[in-house]
Amino acid sequence: MQMSGAQMVIEALKHEGVDTVFGYPGGAIMNVYDEIYKQNNFQHILTRHEQAAVHAAEGYAKVTGKVGVAMVTSGPGFTNAVTGIADAYMDSIPLVVISGQVPMSLIGTDAFQEIDSVGISRSCTKHNYLVTDAADLPRVLKEAFYLAATGRPGPVHVDIPKDVTAQIAEFDYSRPVEMETYKPTTKGNARQIKKAIDAIAVAKRPLLYLGGGVINANAADEVRAFAKLTGIPAVETLMARGTMGADNPLMISMLGMHGSYAANMAMSETDLIIGLGARFDDRVTGKLSEFAKNADVIHVDIDPASISKLVNAEYPIVGDVKYVVEEMTTLAKGKIDAERYVPWLETIEHFNKLHPLGYEEEPGVIKPQWVIERIGQLLGEKANISTDVGQHQMWTAQFYPFSRPRQFISSGGLGTMGFGFPAAMGVKRGDPERVSINVTGDGSILMNIQELMTSVEYKLPVINVILNNHFLGMVRQWQTLFYDKRYSETDLSMQPNWVGLVESFGGVGYNVETKEEFDAALKDAVEKNVVAMINVNVSRFENVLPMVPAGGSLFNMMLEYKDK
Amino acid sequence: MENERRVVSVILQNEASALSRITDLFSARGYNIESLTVAPIPESKYSRLTIATSGSVRVIEQIIKQLHKLIPVLRVYEHADLVEKEMAMVKFPISENLSDIETLSKAYNGKIVNVGNDMIIAMVADEPKRVSHYLEAVKRFNPKEIVRSGTVALER
């Protein structure tokens, strides 16, 4: 069928089953927006900033497992979107980002709102395209969705010059994707899998090290089954929270810079790491030369470049975690006896008892950790929890009782402040039945505060819980610990009227000073079902602990901090 | 860990941005490029790119994996046993000793390829190390301009 490039975009999104596009129009993308006006296949959600459009698409993708779609115009529209694209790249989130470009005849002339978009996105996308002929659009868009969702997922950027969106060409979406140069390995090598099982069978202290890849592969059930069968305990990275479930007896906790004592000690004492969809990030390993010194490594990952990048793997297995773990479970039956690891579990239990994750209550002041625990008690499984970046993010990861994968939505690799609120809108859109909470800080929330309008307009009632310490808390913590308390530009004593702010957009706001007020505010916000801001004044100088100082060894944790 | 020089060949799709994907990867991840040559493979939609690089064993392994990860890349070869050649052209004043230059060039698989009014151009094609030796040896003939092609390689 003959149609314009702009119509092809709409048709392709229809064929891909897209029900939501987050975006912001502008000159170079107007032909496509004209077609959006005429169609009813998907809802377009107008965020109030392009960065937020991409974060919302990320939240949507993370909670649903589907490809998120964002659309922006050329020049500043695109550059605003770059932070979101880079965030999705670091956390392997499947996205298709479509941007307008100046007409082909103007490319290279420094035209109005021209920027070399594909040049910019090259280093922060899985792949990108500049479409120079409308006849290529069906193939390119189909490849874009395929690339975003398969292998190691990631963002794919499609840049379309304005004249290409007006050009008429043949649209045929029925041809299957044929890419001679892209064939991800999904089935792990059978011999390697067998060798890995043999290694587990003779290990004394094996440890499952779970990363975000487990969630991307929808392999949480398989991993839980493998752990249950073999009796091997597990630690999770930030990106893997919810995989095992908080009440799983084999779940130790999160590991890494702010991991629990038991989790980090288990990683330091293990003799066999079973890494599943994790990438040995510096925030996880601490000092590499001291990391898990006595351990061999089984590393299962869909991305061969992640294996032996930082830590050498004796048993590398390239493949889809779901498939490989299924195979491992089959082979483990009758071969691995859970009894074997009981002494190891006792050691871990000892670590747990020695320094359990916790905090000290103080009279008359709300502790930030309490807020997280309380949300967990009141909403538990019924809420999806997004966060921004900083202390509140770590406390959420430490203290929320995550019970399922895709419940925790956070910016891990890039660490993007301003991620949480728009992501929580995307989460609400993708999983409307559940409450969408954004745990945030008084620093982060202002980085995409304009989304209050989007949230009200499209009825995406995110509950923003601000753990307000009048500081850029995480930076302040580092200044306390490593910069002799020189609080350079981290004091946020100057604050808006939070309640007035959210009310001016049509939402509801609460200032909270006591625990009773918090309970009442959360209950009311859930009932009101509009965008909410719960401003909780928490103890000002609370630190996230334990802490492995940057570059330190994982087993050298700061467990408490006493002010001199 | 000791740095080793390695020659890597990449077969990749002919597309406008393919080369910049490779060079961006090297600069973004801090890998060295000693030389890089690229030309289309006849009667195919692919080009062949030859990169001379250096790094520890782990870095070289990462380079190969990261190159593989680029979508337009079909194959990556790391050569162990290879025939490697590079070409160089040098411009000399015509007043220099032409027969010495010619003899020397011949010893490095080359010759004088152009004679102008005031300048001659000699070319050689040999292993990169030998090309370097040649350029060292002809210094005394006052070379005015030197161009090296970068290395190309085929596995034996």
Side-chain angles (χ1 to χ4, degrees), chain B residues 107-124:
Chain B
Y108 291 87
N109 291 321
K111 58 185 176 183
I112 292 171
V113 289
N114 183 269
V115 180
N117 285 340
D118 353 291
M119 293 283 171
I120 64 149
I121 297 174
M123 65 78 71
V124 292

Side-chain angles (χ1 to χ4, degrees), chain A residues 122 128 180-181 303 305 307, chain B residues 21 46 62 65 69 71:
Chain A
R122 197 172 292 134
N128 63 11
E180 210 182 341
T181 61
D303 177 10
I307 297 176
Chain B
R21 289 183 203 281
Y46 294 100
Q62 262 297 305
K65 285 177 172 175
K69 214 168 136 177
I71 306 297

Side-chain angles (χ1 to χ4, degrees), chain A residues 451-465:
Chain A
E451 295 312 312
L452 282 169
M453 202 70 264
T454 315
S455 195
V456 169
E457 178 172 0
Y458 294 94
K459 302 196 166 51
L460 299 169
V462 172
I463 300 174
N464 293 286
V465 178

Side-chain angles (χ1 to χ4, degrees), chain A residues 184-231:
Chain A
T185 311
T186 52
K187 296 197 171 183
N189 181 305
R191 227 176 47 218
Q192 285 289 76
I193 296 174
K194 196 176 165 299
K195 274 162 85 179
I197 289 294
D198 292 343
I200 295 170
V202 298
K204 289 197 173 70
R205 300 181 303 279
L207 182 67
L208 285 159
Y209 159 47
L210 310 176
V214 177
I215 292 174
N216 277 341
N218 294 315
D221 287 346
E222 288 75 8
V223 169
R224 287 183 190 194
F226 179 77
K228 193 171 178 197
L229 173 75
T230 58

Side-chain angles (χ1 to χ4, degrees), chain A residues 6-303:
Chain A
Q7 287 168 322
M8 288 183 187
V9 173
I10 307 301
E11 279 300 306
L13 296 180
K14 184 177 150 189
H15 279 89
E16 295 293 343
V18 172
D19 63 13
T20 310
V21 172
F22 301 90
Y24 207 107
I29 192 83
M30 278 184 72
N31 289 335
V32 180
Y33 270 84
D34 194 45
E35 295 302 328
I36 289 179
Y37 187 82
K38 299 175 194 163
Q39 60 84 44
N40 269 320
N41 304 317
F42 58 82
Q43 185 178 20
H44 179 276
I45 291 179
L46 177 72
T47 56
R48 276 7 184 218
H49 191 292
E50 289 90 348
Q51 184 195 350
V54 183
H55 289 326
E58 288 182 87
Y60 177 90
K62 285 205 81 168
V63 82
T64 61
K66 296 196 281 187
V67 176
V69 182
M71 196 178 288
V72 297
T73 193
S74 66
F78 173 73
T79 55
N80 278 344
V82 169
T83 302
I85 296 172
D87 190 272
Y89 184 62
M90 291 291 274
D91 286 346
S92 308
I93 300 172
L95 291 189
V96 170
V97 179
I98 298 168
S99 60
Q101 183 54 279
V102 301
M104 298 265 287
S105 56
L106 289 179
I107 286 181
T109 66
D110 302 317
F112 177 65
Q113 294 194 330
E114 182 189 358
I115 197 77
D116 174 16
S117 301
V118 286
I120 291 174
S121 69
R122 197 172 292 134
S123 59
C124 58
T125 50
K126 183 170 175 183
H127 195 49
N128 63 11
Y129 297 88
L130 172 63
V131 184
T132 55
D133 187 338
D136 293 335
L137 256 178
R139 174 186 60 82
V140 165
L141 289 167
K142 196 161 188 171
E143 284 181 7
F145 276 89
Y146 176 70
L147 285 171
T150 56
R152 179 174 178 176
V156 179
H157 169 215
V158 182
D159 197 32
I160 317 176
K162 189 169 187 179
D163 51 341
V164 175
T165 61
Q167 194 190 341
I168 307 287
E170 178 67 20
F171 181 85
D172 177 6
Y173 213 72
S174 62
R175 293 180 59 182
V177 172
E178 277 173 39
M179 300 181 76
E180 210 182 341
T181 61
Y182 175 77
K183 296 197 166 64
T185 311
T186 52
K187 296 197 171 183
N189 181 305
R191 227 176 47 218
Q192 285 289 76
I193 296 174
K194 196 176 165 299
K195 274 162 85 179
I197 289 294
D198 292 343
I200 295 170
V202 298
K204 289 197 173 70
R205 300 181 303 279
L207 182 67
L208 285 159
Y209 159 47
L210 310 176
V214 177
I215 292 174
N216 277 341
N218 294 315
D221 287 346
E222 288 75 8
V223 169
R224 287 183 190 194
F226 179 77
K228 193 171 178 197
L229 173 75
T230 58
I232 298 174
V235 292
E236 289 174 353
T237 67
L238 181 77
M239 303 314 292
R241 298 302 274 144
T243 302
M244 290 290 281
D247 52 9
N248 192 319
L250 291 165
M251 176 64 204
I252 305 174
S253 191
M254 180 172 78
L255 85 164
M257 182 174 272
H258 293 297
S260 76
Y261 177 79
N264 286 348
M265 288 310 290
M267 186 50 104
S268 301
E269 296 286 314
T270 177
D271 63 353
L272 182 65
I273 296 171
I274 308 165
L276 304 176
R279 60 186 180 87
F280 295 88
D281 176 83
D282 57 279
R283 286 300 193 258
V284 160
T285 61
K287 191 176 183 181
L288 267 177
S289 58
E290 304 271 319
F291 174 74
K293 272 176 124 169
N294 304 316
D296 279 352
V297 175
I298 298 169
H299 195 173
V300 184
D301 206 291
I302 191 90
D303 177 10

